[in-house]
Amino acid sequence: MNAKDKTAYCGIYCPDCIHLHNQYSTLSQELLTHLKKIEFDKYASIESPFGAEFTHWDKFSTVLHKLASTQCENPCRPGGGCSGTACKIMMCCQEKEFEGCWECNDVEQCDKFDFLEPRCGQMPKNNILKIKTHGIENWADKRANFYIWQK
Ligand code: SF4
Ligand code: SF4
């Protein structure tokens, strides 16, 4: 897979995303299978000498099922967007027949990146500047951290 296929229209580098080919979904599925086999839900429904935490079983189970089902199998470009659904940035690029926002002159003032900002901050726009400077095949080793909590 070349660098362009690993780079989403918005400038994010999909191999850095925690969902791509993740381990947590596989491990969560294994845990779900094991817990089902030993019928832990029935154990958790009765007061336990091990503590009251098991009363939160339903919430825990909901999150565990979500973890088991959120593995991403393909980067954005070949996969048609996150979960196979095009976001507003991808649709905008495709309407303009751009390979990515790095072909656009309106990046700085574009407000379509708002949904990425809580987790990724300015990373996508910073990456786009790197792509504009170095080209799509030679920018990846200059990319910013994916998540705002990464140092
Ligand atoms: S397509 Fe979306 S979910 Fe999949 S790796 Fe890229 S950013 Fe992550
Ligand atoms: S307006 Fe430009 S920067 Fe904004 S999403 Fe569309 S192509 Fe990307």
Side-chain angles (χ1 to χ4, degrees):
M1 190 176 291
N2 60 30
K4 190 177 89 177
D5 282 343
K6 294 176 186 171
T7 306
Y9 292 83
C10 61
I12 70 170
Y13 191 68
C14 282
D16 292 339
C17 171
I18 57 172
H19 301 297
L20 188 65
H21 304 144
N22 72 53
Q23 262 193 305
Y24 76 72
S25 288
T26 307
L27 295 170
S28 298
Q29 188 53 58
E30 284 175 14
L31 181 55
L32 276 170
T33 301
H34 176 68
L35 292 172
K36 187 175 178 190
K37 184 177 165 196
I38 62 173
E39 299 184 285
F40 205 97
D41 59 326
K42 294 193 175 77
Y43 178 88
S45 68
I46 301 168
E47 191 175 327
S48 165
F50 282 92
E53 289 85 351
F54 294 130
T55 59
H56 304 298
W57 181 262
D58 286 348
K59 283 184 183 167
F60 167 73
S61 180
T62 299
V63 174
L64 191 56
H65 276 89
K66 182 52 76 176
L67 286 169
S69 65
T70 47
Q71 188 173 65
C72 178
E73 292 176 4
N74 285 301
C76 174
R77 189 180 302 273
C82 295
S83 310
T85 305
C87 71
K88 53 189 173 183
I89 297 175
M90 187 179 193
M91 286 192 283
C92 183
C93 284
Q94 290 177 338
E95 280 166 17
K96 292 178 161 71
E97 298 187 357
F98 289 163
E99 290 197 330
C101 294
W102 49 93
E103 294 182 10
C104 181
N105 294 323
D106 301 324
V107 177
E108 207 171 319
Q109 60 268 34
C110 180
D111 62 4
K112 292 186 174 64
F113 291 72
D114 54 348
F115 69 102
L116 295 170
E117 283 181 18
R119 289 186 182 83
C120 301
Q122 292 302 303
M123 174 271 282
K125 288 188 176 181
N126 289 338
N127 282 355
I128 287 168
L129 292 177
K130 298 276 170 53
I131 299 169
K132 280 179 181 281
T133 302
H134 301 281
I136 188 64
E137 289 302 326
N138 298 303
W139 78 283
D141 61 345
K142 287 118 186 143
R143 68 191 184 274
N145 286 334
F146 199 100
Y147 298 103
I148 55 174
W149 51 85
Q150 292 173 318
K151 303 291 179 205

